[in-house]
Amino acid sequence: VTVRPEAAGDGVGRIGIQLLANADKEVVKASGLLDGAGMASRETAKLTKLVLNGFGKLLFNFQQNVDKLSGPIAIIANGAQYSRNNLYDLLQFMVIVNINLAVINTVPLPGLDGGYLALLLAETVRGGKRLPENVESAINQSGFFLLFVLGITLLVKDSAKLLS
């Protein structure tokens, strides 16, 4: 097989390979409002299961999947790509982003809602006694610092990938 790159305007050769979905989409029109709500619920449940499976794979095989982590720049770049495809792909992408945010927000990390729930659980286990104010504050500050460092790291990683 002989491959001859085609010259592009940016000086980079292109060989005509493009990533596309490996499955055909079947678009089904709802017969009414209740049918549409049911279909939307089933699709959301399916996407939630996919997100949870992906999150589990990330946690249990972190070393193998760390390169797949993306931050806001990659999310915006992907959203722009989906907006060029069609409205269905863009809406599905938006749903997946929202489900991801919901899942991550419930993780018991300080500074997130899941962390707050963990503090409430600790209070319950202690018989209704709150943790001392300075301890709770230190826990939340450490969580915010961790999230800040992760955010900056992902911004730098995404920026470097975008520029290369």
Side-chain angles (χ1 to χ4, degrees):
V1 174
T2 303
V3 177
R4 295 179 193 198
E6 182 179 300
D10 59 2
V12 177
R14 305 274 191 259
I15 59 173
I17 296 175
Q18 180 178 355
L19 288 177
L20 294 173
N22 60 359
D24 292 327
K25 285 181 270 192
E26 180 184 351
V27 178
V28 179
K29 186 173 181 174
S31 62
L33 185 62
L34 288 177
D35 186 39
M39 290 170 65
S41 296
R42 286 188 296 279
E43 183 70 13
T44 302
K46 182 182 89 173
L47 292 174
T48 302
K49 185 177 178 182
L50 287 172
V51 167
L52 289 172
N53 286 339
F55 194 68
K57 288 178 185 176
L58 176 67
L59 286 178
F60 296 113
N61 296 320
F62 188 76
Q63 290 293 74
Q64 296 169 337
N65 293 307
V66 69
D67 292 337
K68 296 177 185 172
L69 278 178
S70 297
I73 293 175
I75 292 170
I76 291 169
N78 283 324
Q81 179 62 43
Y82 283 113
S83 71
R84 286 186 218 105
N85 291 351
N86 58 55
L87 182 61
Y88 176 81
D89 288 347
L90 178 62
L91 291 173
Q92 189 174 42
F93 176 74
M94 291 167 57
V95 169
I96 290 171
V97 168
N98 278 288
I99 293 169
N100 270 292
L101 289 172
V103 168
I104 290 170
N105 199 34
T106 57
V107 172
L109 286 175
L112 298 176
D113 287 343
Y116 183 69
L117 290 172
L119 289 174
L120 287 175
L121 180 63
E123 181 179 326
T124 302
V125 168
R126 293 170 41 103
K129 288 177 41 181
R130 287 189 71 170
L131 291 172
E133 183 81 27
N134 60 338
V135 172
E136 198 171 311
S137 178
I139 290 170
N140 283 322
Q141 286 177 1
S142 66
F144 280 123
F145 178 74
L146 175 72
L147 292 172
F148 179 76
V149 168
L150 178 64
I152 295 297
T153 302
L154 291 174
L155 277 172
V156 169
K157 178 184 170 236
D158 288 349
S159 298
K161 187 184 273 188
L162 192 64
L163 296 174
S164 64

